[in-house]
Amino acid sequence: MSPSPEPVFPEYESDTSQTSKLIRKFKETPFVPVGMAGFVAVVGYGLYRLKHRGDTKMSLHLIHMRVAAQGFVVGAITCGVLYSMFRDYVGKPKE
């Protein structure tokens, strides 16, 4: 029994580089990369502010940073779901 020469999912196997996969994901669901970028930005800013936190305890600073990062990601996911619902149900006329 020889393996079949044709790919099972040709649209997914044609994109092999990480950049092309990220571009495809950005076109399909634009709020996923926005959420990832926002998470990285919030964590980066939190780490920068770690030096200049003043009298704030380390645990309190880390909790605030975690809540801000999670809030940004949840907000991006919510916007993405609302966008896709709008695009699927309101944007398309019913046939």
Side-chain angles (χ1 to χ4, degrees):
M1 186 179 249
S2 66
S4 97
E6 60 207 36
V8 178
F9 298 110
E11 65 272 3
Y12 289 111
E13 291 186 14
S14 63
D15 295 337
T16 55
S17 71
Q18 293 294 329
T19 308
S20 63
K21 287 180 183 179
L22 186 62
I23 290 171
R24 181 179 49 84
K25 178 60 86 172
F26 186 72
K27 288 179 182 176
E28 290 174 2
T29 55
F31 288 97
V32 171
V34 170
M36 290 170 34
F39 176 79
V40 169
V42 168
V43 169
Y45 178 73
L47 290 174
Y48 171 74
R49 293 293 300 166
L50 188 62
K51 268 182 131 173
H52 310 289
R53 69 179 187 270
D55 296 345
T56 309
K57 290 183 179 181
M58 170 78 88
S59 62
L60 187 62
H61 176 74
L62 292 175
I63 289 171
H64 287 158
M65 187 173 68
R66 179 183 64 89
V67 168
Q70 283 179 335
F72 194 91
V73 170
V74 168
I77 290 171
T78 304
C79 288
V81 167
L82 292 174
Y83 172 74
S84 67
M85 286 175 62
F86 176 78
R87 187 181 58 198
D88 291 343
Y89 296 113
V90 177
K92 288 184 182 178
K94 297 201 177 200
E95 296 175 5

